[in-house]
Amino acid sequence: MLLNLLLLIVGLALVVLGANWLTDGAASIAKRFNVSNLVIGLTIVAFGTSAPELTVSLTSALNGNADIAIGNVVGSNIFNILVILGITAMICPLAVSRSTVRVEIPLTILASLVLLFLGADQLFDGEANKLSTGDGLTLLAFFLIFLFYTFSIAKSDPQAEEGTEVKVKKSYISILMIIVGLAALVGGGRLFVDASVSLARLLGMSESVIGLTLVAAGTSLPELATSLVAALKKQSDIAIGNVVGSNIFNIFFILGVSATITPIRTLGITILDYAVMIGAAVLLFFFSRYYGRLTLKRWEGVLLLLLFVGYTAYLLQQ
């Protein structure tokens, strides 16, 4: 078990480091071709923060560990709101912009509902739960709409160009970072998934529970670090926008790509898991819109965190 834990940590470290190297190298090359900071931030950097989830979910799906693939995304979305925003709000109350409350958070709720409708086939038509290739293409279509909206909003923001700082490195260094980053992502992702499956079997736990808890928490570390730093710097928009954007990205892009490449059976994910994911997003909306008056307060952060503890305790007990 200790060996599997060590492999799990090493695999996760490789995935996170690989994502950073790949992102920095690609951003540097893009800057050399005079690509704007805005485009780099909305594409390369956004991809980089979600690369761990994408790598783990895609690797799991290709290896036949579908419950880890879907559990990673559902669990990450739950972890992002209940834990990351819970902790950051406890550190410092988070101001929520009107556009986030009116558009981005409702879009997160929509994405969660779409995933429920596409993934819980047994609930709606009695068939086995799965995300088919058609479902994956549907999710990717939603992602393109979201990407178009993000670009249109960012271009209207005069401070958008200042949002992403890109360090330009020598060309050969940038190319080397991309190659090493990709290798670390692929190798680390496979190591992380294999160790997760082995741990699940040793502990007598299902792959879905491992995906919803340990794997989801591990792949959400970049979002946790980003939001904590933003909260400490009093940059509430970044702290909340990072989480909300990641949740939308996880469902529409990561599961869209994974399901398009190979259908994903979602037998281990229950209605309760979907309900907690949707409920967390709905709770964030009501806290931000009605109770906090565009602010996520400390007591609300405590409540979010307690809900996650209760949900996790239930999963482990089962």
Side-chain angles (χ1 to χ4, degrees), residues 44 51 66 104 137 183 216-217 224 226 232 244 252 263 266 271 306:
I44 297 173
E104 281 89 354
L137 292 173
L224 176 60
T226 301
L232 293 173
V244 173
F252 287 155
T266 58
I271 296 301
L306 288 176

Side-chain angles (χ1 to χ4, degrees), residues 227-241:
S227 291
L228 284 176
V229 170
L232 293 173
K233 292 182 178 180
K234 310 296 183 182
Q235 296 172 326
S236 298
D237 282 348
I238 295 178
I240 293 184

Side-chain angles (χ1 to χ4, degrees), residues 134-177:
D135 294 334
L137 292 173
T138 300
L139 293 173
L140 287 177
F142 274 106
F143 175 71
L144 290 177
I145 296 173
F146 168 66
L147 201 61
F148 176 79
Y149 161 77
T150 304
F151 269 97
S152 63
I153 292 298
K155 286 181 179 179
S156 65
D157 183 358
Q159 296 182 341
E161 279 294 313
E162 303 171 4
T164 304
E165 294 183 5
V166 180
K167 295 181 179 179
V168 180
K169 302 175 177 62
K170 294 182 178 179
S171 297
Y172 74 90
I173 294 179
S174 298
I175 294 173
L176 182 62
M177 290 179 70

